[in-house]
Amino acid sequence: MPHLNELQEKYASKGLLVMATSKENKSLIEGWAKDKGAKFAFFVDDGGATTTAYGVTGYPSSVILGPDGKVVWKGHPSSLSEKLVEQALEKVVLRFGYEFPKAFAKVKSKFDKKDFAGALDALTAAEAIEGADTAVAGKIREDLIGYAADVKGMALSDAEGGDYLSAEATLKELAKQYKGHDIGKEIDGLLKEWKKDATVKKEMKAGKMMLQGKAMEKAMNFAAAAGIYSAVTKKYKSTKTAEIAQVKLDKIMDNSMHKINAKCK
């Protein structure tokens, strides 16, 4: 634990974000984190989806993800050296870590509204003014375009893991932010391709069923949740979503959680 705290404190300014996850419930995780003095974020691995997506088979395990969301290293926490972190951070580009000059006020206004296409247009206009700081303009343009590539990469990483619903939501928001720009048009084109892709449509339908199962779990109706997850594994066999559904189903059955409703009655 101290090792992870040290990494977070030393490399946060360079783009490192340390996060921990567990299949245990939220209260247990919060208690453990407080007891250990964790200085980084935690989240509940809902049904083991995260560990499954990153191929984690042993505990404890550490994974380093690159800016595109892909695994660049995986192993035991004791083997997570500063050298490995520094190598991964070499590919990290920090975006918008500066104040916008007054000459680019219109760009900043569009940026604050998340109208990144408008920000790029305003940037082009600002660059045309005599005496404009072309170096700053170049950095802003690089970040606006790079940000789109970063977010798209993370969305595609979600899609590779079978979570096309999250990927679609991310890309729709990105297309909105760059509406009218070539970037927005490219994203719109990709979304249209997904709508025609049989495999993608199958994953999305399975994903919608998974949302129903999660809602049942949240309502403590584990029997209903188990039924939904079982249906996903059968109806959408061979999909990545079905693999995640199987993990969630196994957790419910192994812990006899599906009997809780009957006992309550």
Side-chain angles (χ1 to χ4, degrees), residues 19-23 43-57 59 63 65 71 74 161 244 247-248:
M19 296 187 73
T21 183
S22 171
K23 296 180 182 178
F43 68 94
V44 177
D45 186 8
D46 191 6
T50 300
T51 51
T52 299
Y54 297 129
V56 174
T57 56
Y59 302 94
V63 177
L65 303 180
V71 176
K74 180 170 60 179
I244 296 173
V247 172
K248 293 178 73 63

Side-chain angles (χ1 to χ4, degrees), residues 23 58 70 82 105 128 144 166 168 194 205 210-211 229 241:
K23 296 180 182 178
K70 294 183 179 180
E82 291 189 0
L144 283 168
S166 292
E168 181 186 46
W194 280 6
K205 288 180 179 179
M210 288 292 288
L211 291 178
Y229 296 144
T241 306

Side-chain angles (χ1 to χ4, degrees), residues 33-180:
K34 183 178 181 180
D35 181 59
K36 297 296 183 180
K39 298 180 180 179
F40 43 86
F42 279 79
F43 68 94
V44 177
D45 186 8
D46 191 6
T50 300
T51 51
T52 299
Y54 297 129
V56 174
T57 56
Y59 302 94
S61 291
S62 289
V63 177
I64 296 180
L65 303 180
D68 58 0
K70 294 183 179 180
V71 176
V72 296
W73 180 86
K74 180 170 60 179
H76 193 277
S78 62
S79 301
L80 181 58
S81 66
E82 291 189 0
K83 183 178 180 181
L84 287 169
V85 172
E86 290 172 356
Q87 288 176 341
L89 289 174
E90 289 178 359
K91 297 181 180 180
V92 173
V93 178
L94 299 179
R95 308 288 183 194
F96 310 112
Y98 46 80
E99 291 291 331
F100 283 69
K102 291 183 179 180
F104 298 98
K106 289 184 179 180
V107 179
K108 180 65 162 56
S109 177
K110 295 290 185 180
F111 175 82
D112 288 342
K113 296 176 182 177
K114 295 190 181 298
D115 178 7
F116 299 148
L120 285 166
D121 289 339
L123 184 61
T124 298
E127 285 178 303
I129 299 175
E130 186 176 350
D133 191 330
T134 56
V136 172
K139 177 57 179 173
I140 295 174
R141 184 180 299 281
E142 177 186 328
D143 283 351
L144 283 168
I145 294 174
Y147 170 78
D150 293 343
V151 175
K152 179 183 176 183
M154 289 187 286
L156 293 179
S157 180
D158 284 339
E160 287 180 11
D163 192 357
Y164 277 92
L165 286 181
S166 292
E168 181 186 46
T170 299
L171 291 178
K172 280 184 175 179
E173 180 62 22
L174 192 63
K176 179 181 177 182
Q177 293 168 344
Y178 290 87
K179 185 176 181 179

Side-chain angles (χ1 to χ4, degrees), residues 183-197:
I183 292 173
K185 294 175 183 177
E186 179 188 341
I187 299 301
D188 281 333
L190 176 59
L191 289 171
K192 288 179 181 178
E193 288 179 13
W194 280 6
K195 287 184 177 180
K196 298 176 183 178
D197 190 303

